[in-house]
């Protein structure tokens, strides 16, 4: 509001610590974006509770962890507003009003929601028969997140595109009924491909058990790398192999780019054993993560600084959301007690 920078909203569900996939997929980009935009990062605990309602402790404990991961990676609280969703009740209030503008059928057709329901069979049943009202409605709550801060831009991966589209529809509907009030956000599509898991899975993910966390120790990383999936045809140290189908090769490509050609040709020619290759990779990952780990350690030792950043960020964000809420109420003619 106080400057002419465009507003960006991104966020994460606090369901655990952040991993290398998050780093390349979003965190690195946010560090760059904070110089050019007015950036808000929302720690979406209300959204995390939609499918973790029976484990609020996990959500609670992850809020600070996620915040420390941000700060460790270079998110600067002077430039970026880090805030906690549940402490901004205007978002919940907006969600209620927006929920009248979306049909249940439209939510059920949302491709991201559909995929997630099918992935959460334990919680929602084989055919999604146990899906909750809250989970089905989380795209509406996300529309409230985005619009409450007046965001112009939402950086996200392709998987999130239907959610931003849903927000745009809600905004258009709101504006057409109540008058031009809300900003219609645009998606800024992430160009980074999904980071794969060391186990060969097409995605590194918390719940897939294949994540390398930003907060992992050197030993933990070495252990994870030593268990990585390699070219199965290679049995002996001097067998020739194909680094293109090896997860260690894939990670050398990310963390050891300057030496990649040499690693790949030695592997192809049978001049590189997997054990040494993995040790070299673990060393490279550890070198890469060292500054992040050190910075994180500082915040782990100063939890009061993390609290202060979260409290101040949330206060600032709440003020922005209050401003939107007052405009929304005015547009809807439900600003009863504000009327002169
Ligand atoms: P879960 O397994 O619980 O779904 P996750 O590891 O997939 O957890 P999320 O919190 O779902 O983590 O991820 C949020 C966002 O982080 C994704 O929408 C995506 O933009 C990014 N992200 C997560 N994993 C990766 C990955 N492996 N590569 C690139 N980006 C990723
Ligand atoms: Mg996920």
């Amino acid at each position: 509001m106080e400057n002419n920078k465009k507003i960006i909203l991104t966020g994460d569900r606090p369901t655990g610590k952040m991993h290398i996939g998050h780093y390349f997929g979003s965190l690195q980009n946010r560090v760059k974006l904070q110089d050019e935009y007015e950036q808000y990062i929302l720690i979406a605990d209300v959204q995390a509770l939609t499918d973790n309602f029976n484990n609020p402790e996990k959500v609670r404990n992850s809020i600070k962890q996620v915040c420390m991961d941000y700060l460790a990676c270079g998110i600067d609280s002077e430039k970026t507003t880090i805030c906690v969703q549940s402490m901004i009740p205007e978002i919940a209030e907006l969600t209620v009003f927006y929920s009248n503008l979306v049909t249940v059928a439209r939510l059920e057709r949302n491709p991201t929601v559909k995929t997630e329901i099918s992935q959460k069979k334990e919680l929602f049943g084989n055919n999604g028969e146990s899906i909750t009202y809250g989970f089905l409605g989380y795209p509406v709550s996300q529309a409230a997140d985005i619009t409450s801060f007046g965001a112009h831009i939402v950086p996200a991966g392709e998987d999130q595109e239907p959610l931003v589209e849903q927000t745009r529809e809600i905004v258009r509907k709101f504006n057409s009924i109540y008058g031009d009030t809300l900003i219609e956000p645009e998606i800024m599509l992430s160009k980074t491909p999904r980071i794969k898991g060391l186990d060969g899975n097409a995605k590194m993910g918390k719940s897939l058990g294949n994540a390398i966390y930003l907060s992992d120790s050197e030993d933990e990383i070495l252990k994870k790398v030593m268990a990585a999936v390699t070219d199965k045809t290679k049995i002996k140290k001097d067998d020739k192999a194909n680094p293109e189908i090896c997860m260690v090769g894939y990670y050398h490509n990310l963390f050891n780019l300057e030496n990649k050609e040499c690693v790949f040709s030695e592997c192809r020619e049978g001049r590189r054993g997997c054990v040494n290759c993995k040790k070299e990779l673990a060393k490279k990952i550890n070198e890469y993560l060292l500054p992040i780990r050190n910075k994180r350690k500082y915040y782990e030792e100063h939890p009061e600084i993390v609290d202060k950043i979260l409290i101040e960020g949330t206060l600032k964000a709440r003020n922005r959301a209050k401003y939107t809420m007052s405009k929304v109420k005015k547009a809807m003619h439900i600003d009863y007690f504000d009327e002169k």
Side-chain angles (χ1 to χ4, degrees):
M1 276 188 292
E2 58 272 11
N3 55 42
N4 291 325
K5 285 183 178 173
K6 286 208 163 170
I7 299 172
I8 275 199
L9 175 82
T10 64
D12 296 286
R13 294 150 36 92
T15 54
K17 295 175 175 181
M18 304 200 78
H19 53 68
I20 284 176
H22 295 126
Y23 182 76
F24 289 108
S26 62
L27 295 174
Q28 218 180 20
N29 194 34
R30 292 176 191 173
V31 173
K32 282 191 209 131
L33 292 172
Q34 66 184 349
D35 289 320
E36 210 182 317
Y37 296 92
E38 183 177 342
Q39 179 165 253
Y40 288 85
I41 303 185
L42 183 71
I43 304 183
D45 60 334
V46 177
Q47 190 182 318
L49 285 166
T50 60
D51 54 341
N52 289 280
F53 52 86
N54 44 14
N55 199 356
E57 281 307 308
K58 177 170 90 176
V59 175
R60 181 195 174 97
N61 296 333
S62 301
I63 291 177
K64 258 195 198 172
Q65 297 297 335
V66 166
C67 186
M68 287 193 286
D69 285 329
Y70 293 159
L71 299 168
C73 289
I75 299 287
D76 178 347
S77 62
E78 296 286 318
K79 298 177 183 167
T80 295
T81 307
I82 305 172
C83 53
V84 180
Q85 191 182 23
S86 63
M87 299 306 286
I88 307 173
E90 287 73 18
I91 296 177
E93 213 178 338
L94 277 174
T95 305
V96 174
F97 296 128
Y98 293 172
S99 61
N100 297 324
L101 310 178
V102 191
T103 64
V104 173
R106 174 66 181 86
L107 289 169
E108 283 171 340
R109 275 201 313 273
N110 186 308
T112 311
V113 175
K114 267 167 89 172
T115 309
E116 284 169 350
I117 294 171
S118 68
Q119 283 167 351
K120 295 174 200 290
K121 291 197 165 49
E122 213 176 295
L123 199 58
F124 297 140
N126 276 335
N127 301 308
E129 62 274 8
S130 309
I131 179 146
T132 59
Y133 163 67
F135 187 83
L136 186 65
Y138 93 74
V140 185
S141 153
Q142 224 167 52
D145 299 337
I146 296 169
T147 54
S148 63
F149 304 126
H152 302 96
I153 296 164
V154 181
E158 254 172 47
D159 58 330
Q160 303 287 305
E161 221 175 346
L163 297 171
V164 181
E165 195 43 48
Q166 183 103 62
T167 297
R168 288 163 60 87
E169 282 176 32
I170 292 174
V171 167
R172 289 199 291 267
K173 186 112 191 226
F174 186 100
N175 287 346
S176 74
I177 299 173
Y178 305 113
D180 221 1
T181 311
L182 302 171
I183 294 167
E184 188 174 330
E186 312 240 350
I187 189 165
M188 181 192 271
L189 262 187
S190 159
K191 291 174 204 85
T192 340
R194 282 260 168 277
I195 303 298
K196 297 180 192 175
L198 279 167
D199 57 352
N201 195 303
K203 181 187 175 302
M204 174 182 286
K206 275 175 293 207
S207 52
L208 298 166
N210 62 3
I212 296 182
Y213 293 98
L214 297 172
S215 49
D216 275 348
S217 68
E218 286 196 19
D219 285 349
E220 279 166 324
I221 288 183
L222 179 64
K223 218 169 124 200
K224 287 180 181 178
V225 173
M226 294 313 281
V229 170
T230 53
D231 178 350
K232 290 195 172 55
T233 62
K234 182 171 166 113
I235 313 286
K236 296 194 302 299
K237 196 170 139 191
D238 50 4
D239 282 345
K240 293 178 180 173
N242 179 4
E244 303 285 352
I245 58 166
C246 167
M247 295 323 294
V248 182
Y250 171 83
Y251 272 82
H252 271 292
N253 204 12
L254 288 175
F255 289 96
N256 194 14
L257 202 56
E258 64 284 0
N259 204 22
K260 179 204 152 182
E261 287 311 320
C262 168
V263 171
F264 275 42
S265 60
E266 282 181 8
C267 174
R268 284 195 184 99
E269 290 157 19
R271 291 190 287 117
R272 169 172 276 265
C274 290
V275 172
N276 280 339
C277 189
K278 286 173 171 175
K279 282 187 181 158
E280 184 182 327
L281 172 65
K283 193 164 164 268
K284 285 286 166 187
I285 298 179
N286 275 320
E287 275 170 24
Y288 194 95
L289 293 183
L290 186 66
I292 296 178
R293 197 181 287 140
N294 284 343
K295 213 165 165 191
R296 201 179 193 285
K297 198 156 174 279
Y298 170 80
Y299 289 107
E300 284 164 10
E301 286 163 0
H302 296 87
E304 70 288 355
I305 299 181
V306 183
D307 284 342
K308 190 163 180 271
I309 288 170
L310 282 171
I311 293 169
E312 285 179 359
T314 303
L315 261 177
K316 180 180 167 204
R318 186 164 182 206
N319 277 334
R320 186 62 184 77
K322 279 182 180 169
Y323 169 71
T324 302
M325 196 65 231
S326 70
K327 283 203 307 182
V328 161
K329 284 196 164 179
K330 207 166 174 197
M332 293 177 73
H333 293 168
I334 55 169
D335 54 340
Y336 313 120
F337 302 144
D338 297 340
E339 276 171 348
K340 302 254 156 56

